[in-house]
Amino acid sequence: MKVVFAATDNITPEHWLAPLQQALPDMEVLAWQQDGPAVEADFAVVWTPPADLFLRETRLKAVFNLGAGVDALFRLPGLPADLPILRLEDAGMAVQIAEYVIHALLRASRSFDQYQDLQQQGLWQRVPAIQRERWPVGVMGAGVIGSRVAQAIAALEYPVASWSRSAKAMPGVTSFSGPDHFSEFLQRTRVLVNVLPLTAETIGIMCRESMQQLQSSAYIINVGRGGHLVEDDLLALLDSGHVKGATLDVFQQEPLPKSHAFWKRPEITITPHISGASLQENSIAQVVTKLQSFIRGEPLTGLIQRDRGY
Ligand code: GLV
């Protein structure tokens, strides 16, 4: 059986092909060649794959995505409606994303930027100590990653709530679910963390209307997708002072264009989509396990449900 490996962005095929081939000794692992012929692969292992993947490789039995989010796949032409798509679950990403979110939260709530300014002025000066009740955090998304994030925050005793499609019981985390409870969730939240998958239902979810319902002096932490955030609306809310700052790992356009207004805003911290890297060893092990289960017709986790888009 043949596996085509088609990845761009931060996953460089040169570093992944040999380990993947080694992990799949009974298969032929082939690199996607941009102008090459179809290899008539049985399986594809992909990350932000080339636009013509599905137009060229028409014999695929399943696709394995080297990341949690599959939105890039859905944008490609020729994706067969019944082709099984499997995504990574955690694979070392959840703990990294939890660290990233905790860093951004603590930086705001423990006044680290203020202390940096004071240091620059040579000042030994205390700002008021933290009152946790003034820092309610709301995490949108309660899958493997969102749950890990919410629980890490709960462990530090911040008031934390999650909002997801269906209710999710987690110790120390108040669960809100569905569109009917979205406003209630926003209104009790000061630090809004986005870990949602990007789907037709979640695109643009962080817009003026939703963000202005947050408590005043709000913070935005986006580790989902750039498409979740209406970027001009964030700028307007920063200008009005309702939102005090944002830590953004994902953007409408990546790499973030040099001329983008975000670069010049000190209230925005920009990172280049690194909050949760797909770690090679974990990711390959997960792909191999899923592929073997698929071939044996065993039940699979991480299978995308096409009707909900993740
Ligand atoms: C990263 O963005 C992922 O979807 O895994």
Side-chain angles (χ1 to χ4, degrees), residues 47 65-71 93 224-225 250 273 276 278:
W47 176 246
N65 187 54
L66 286 173
V70 290
D71 44 295
M93 266 180 277
R225 285 290 185 263
V250 286
H273 201 144
S278 302

Side-chain angles (χ1 to χ4, degrees), residues 280-308:
Q280 191 180 75
E281 211 175 303
N282 303 25
S283 305
I284 289 181
Q286 219 180 90
V287 166
V288 169
T289 307
K290 288 183 198 295
L291 207 155
Q292 286 164 346
S293 304
F294 181 85
I295 290 172
R296 290 197 290 259
E298 292 167 2
L300 289 162
T301 61
L303 185 64
I304 300 303
Q305 289 180 28
R306 291 297 191 93
D307 54 341
R308 60 174 205 190

Side-chain angles (χ1 to χ4, degrees), residues 83-124:
L83 180 65
I85 302 174
L86 291 112
R87 64 186 177 89
L88 290 186
E89 298 158 284
D90 190 348
M93 266 180 277
V95 67
Q96 296 175 63
I97 295 182
E99 283 171 341
Y100 182 101
V101 170
I102 293 286
H103 169 85
L105 169 65
L106 298 189
R107 185 174 153 200
S109 68
R110 298 299 311 267
S111 314
F112 280 106
D113 289 345
Q114 258 175 294
Y115 283 116
Q116 177 98 37
D117 287 348
L118 291 166
Q119 176 180 342
Q120 263 153 22
Q121 297 169 58
L123 289 173
W124 176 278

Side-chain angles (χ1 to χ4, degrees), residues 98-164:
E99 283 171 341
Y100 182 101
V101 170
I102 293 286
H103 169 85
L105 169 65
L106 298 189
R107 185 174 153 200
S109 68
R110 298 299 311 267
S111 314
F112 280 106
D113 289 345
Q114 258 175 294
Y115 283 116
Q116 177 98 37
D117 287 348
L118 291 166
Q119 176 180 342
Q120 263 153 22
Q121 297 169 58
L123 289 173
W124 176 278
Q125 190 178 305
R126 293 184 177 131
V127 302
I130 184 172
Q131 291 174 280
R132 279 179 162 58
E133 63 279 12
R134 293 195 53 230
W135 291 92
V137 184
V139 181
M140 298 196 289
V144 182
I145 298 174
S147 308
R148 182 69 181 252
V149 169
Q151 279 166 326
I153 297 165
L156 295 175
E157 299 177 21
Y158 286 79
V160 55
S162 67
W163 179 78
S164 48

